[in-house]
Amino acid sequence: MTAPYKSEVDGFIAHFEGVMESVGGVASPLHRKILYATALDPLARAAYGYKGNRDRLTQLIRDLSKWTDSERVSLPQLQLKLRLAGLFRRKLYRHVSLELQSWGEGVRVGLQHSPHVHELASLADTAEMKLVEGARYSELFYTYRNNLVHEFREPGYGWDVSGTAKRPFYMSYLGREGQWELTFPVHFFRDLVTGSIESLKVHLLAKKIDPYKQFNFGSIWRGK
């Protein structure tokens, strides 16, 4: 027996597989990132309908993208958030600062050195936990995506000098507030979208979702 909406799902997925091939031929890494980031929006809508843009995109990142580090917490970003909120005389800030001191200056540091939320919960009060949750990589990626799509730029000062990195990483830069700068390389964007497309097909078939019904079609430009 044919799975419900199989032809619709196959057509939708084939379209975005073709999009990925086209984007791969774009010369500028920044332009490729913008296009990959844009492609995530319709994938998230197909999966989760009309819920808020942040909610559906972060859920796509957490549940379908195959990014295993998405729920880890960025220590450099958390340190900056705590400092900005004036919460730098407490045990959470001291813990974060001590952890960052162990990172080797001038070298790349991968996200596997970042803690999970539950590892910091015992050190944080309610206000601090909100900052911890906001420093998760799924949330930071959403901010990164917004900068790309709405401002045509990348946040922070990190970059992949070689252009060959496959995974996100930190580099240290002396003389900047928040010495450790986070970089999401373009190859990571490609793999994130590719993983999301693969998982989305399984999700749509399992949930019996017609992806086209999550969008408005027709002559009228502003639908429901």
Side-chain angles (χ1 to χ4, degrees):
M1 183 184 228
T2 303
Y5 304 120
K6 185 178 186 306
S7 62
E8 289 84 355
V9 170
D10 287 345
F12 187 86
I13 295 299
H15 169 74
F16 281 96
E17 289 173 340
V19 166
M20 291 293 289
E21 289 186 17
S22 299
V23 173
V26 173
S28 164
L30 174 62
H31 295 169
R32 267 182 283 154
K33 282 187 181 182
I34 292 169
L35 292 169
Y36 287 138
T38 304
L40 288 169
D41 286 83
L43 299 179
R45 174 169 284 192
Y48 306 115
Y50 286 88
K51 65 166 56 179
N53 196 48
R54 173 186 287 274
D55 289 342
R56 68 184 180 224
L57 269 169
T58 53
Q59 187 171 354
L60 180 84
I61 296 303
R62 290 193 305 268
D63 297 346
L64 299 183
S65 72
K66 301 182 181 180
W67 183 18
T68 57
D69 294 321
S70 66
E71 291 304 281
R72 292 182 182 270
V73 177
S74 168
L75 291 178
Q77 287 295 311
L78 178 57
Q79 184 187 56
L80 289 172
K81 288 174 180 289
L82 290 167
R83 192 180 300 162
L84 185 62
L87 301 174
F88 51 84
R89 293 186 178 90
R90 303 183 183 185
K91 58 184 178 181
L92 176 61
Y93 184 85
R94 292 195 296 270
H95 173 80
V96 170
S97 298
L98 284 173
E99 287 295 310
L100 288 175
Q101 287 175 19
S102 70
W103 291 12
E105 187 176 294
V107 299
R108 287 188 179 187
V109 176
L111 304 195
Q112 71 272 18
H113 296 282
S114 302
H116 289 280
V117 172
H118 65 83
E119 296 177 67
L120 301 176
S122 64
L123 301 171
D125 63 16
T126 301
E128 290 168 323
M129 275 306 298
K130 289 182 179 179
L131 298 180
V132 169
E133 291 170 355
R136 290 173 297 170
Y137 290 115
S138 57
E139 296 291 335
L140 296 177
F141 183 86
Y142 180 73
T143 298
Y144 198 108
R145 170 261 176 208
N146 286 350
N147 276 56
L148 287 172
V149 173
H150 299 301
E151 300 180 19
F152 214 76
R153 69 180 182 90
E154 300 166 272
Y157 299 99
W159 77 94
D160 177 20
V161 178
S162 69
T164 60
K166 298 292 193 297
R167 294 178 176 274
F169 63 89
Y170 290 92
M171 283 290 290
S172 61
Y173 298 95
L174 294 175
R176 293 195 188 278
E177 179 187 11
Q179 177 180 336
W180 291 98
E181 297 288 344
L182 175 61
T183 297
F184 288 137
V186 67
H187 296 301
F188 166 72
F189 269 78
R190 178 201 62 202
D191 294 343
L192 192 77
V193 180
T194 298
S196 298
I197 291 172
E198 292 171 353
S199 298
L200 177 62
K201 182 174 183 177
V202 176
H203 172 84
L204 294 174
L205 291 174
K207 299 293 184 180
K208 301 178 182 178
I209 297 172
D210 177 355
Y212 295 106
K213 289 184 178 179
Q214 309 284 44
F215 301 86
N216 296 311
F217 294 95
S219 298
I220 186 168
W221 289 8
R222 292 295 298 269
K224 59 184 177 180

